Amino acid sequence: MKVAVLSDIHANLAALQVVLKDIKRHDVDGLWVLGDIIGRGCNPLEVTAEMRLQFDEQSARHQQCWLSGNHERFVLGNFDYTDIPEYGHIDAQGSATIAGDNKYAIEVALKHAGLLENVDDLVQWLYKLPTYCEPFEGIHLVHAAMRFNKSTGEMEE
């Protein structure tokens, strides 16, 4: 089985179009996406819509390997970055209070959330993306990292 693996598209439509064109030339069996479809870039609606079309063309086996990244979790509001000091804090007005790249990422996530809030089908699709997949025994797909839980002896997201 030959698959193409994408990650960290970050709402960059121009780059996505080039990559998808190249993937078609290689006659892959499926497409796996490891998260961060949105966040940072300027085309969250267009990229999400295109990726939804790509997802719908995949078999169920390949669809299970489409994951949510931290930027989907930021935009959808289901990632509590306020408890992680390096991500900073969002005040009551929705402004990030940390300087640098993380402040930009949080501010863009809030803007993307506003752009996507009226596109329920895309938002619901993003919500359904898992954060972990094991397509084959011993092969673990995640967006960022797995951690070893000493108390259970298991790997976890």
Side-chain angles (χ1 to χ4, degrees):
M1 172 174 43
K2 184 163 67 168
V3 297
V5 180
L6 297 180
S7 183
D8 296 273
I9 299 161
H10 287 296
N12 184 335
L13 184 61
L16 175 62
Q17 290 170 332
V18 169
V19 170
L20 291 175
K21 184 177 178 181
D22 190 56
I23 288 171
K24 287 183 183 181
R25 291 184 324 111
H26 292 281
D27 193 32
V28 300
D29 299 310
L31 179 61
W32 297 355
V33 177
L34 304 183
D36 283 359
I37 293 170
I38 52 181
R40 297 190 188 271
C42 59
N43 301 108
L45 292 173
E46 298 89 340
V47 167
T48 304
E50 176 60 37
M51 294 308 288
R52 176 61 196 265
L53 291 173
Q54 296 293 321
F55 176 86
D56 289 342
E57 292 177 0
Q58 305 300 308
S59 69
R61 179 178 186 158
H62 295 302
Q63 285 179 346
Q64 73 172 337
C65 297
W66 282 57
L67 306 180
S68 176
N70 58 304
H71 284 268
E72 280 81 32
R73 294 164 70 190
F74 282 158
V75 170
L76 299 174
N78 58 355
F79 183 80
D80 186 7
Y81 44 80
T82 59
D83 291 336
I84 304 173
E86 61 266 26
Y87 282 114
H89 176 73
I90 301 297
D91 64 23
Q93 289 75 39
S95 297
T97 59
I98 190 170
D101 189 49
N102 290 324
K103 176 181 178 181
Y104 172 74
I106 293 168
E107 288 175 350
V108 170
L110 293 169
K111 288 179 183 175
H112 285 196
L115 291 170
L116 287 165
E117 71 182 347
N118 295 319
V119 192
D120 289 339
D121 59 325
L122 294 179
V123 170
Q124 292 306 314
W125 173 69
L126 288 171
Y127 265 119
K128 291 178 185 176
L129 294 177
T131 58
Y132 167 83
C133 174
E134 186 176 354
F136 303 101
E137 187 174 340
I139 303 295
H140 305 277
L141 303 179
V142 294
H143 175 69
M146 298 285 288
R147 293 177 187 87
F148 182 73
N149 184 325
K150 290 180 185 177
S151 63
T152 65
E154 299 287 325
M155 296 297 287
E156 58 187 34
E157 180 194 358

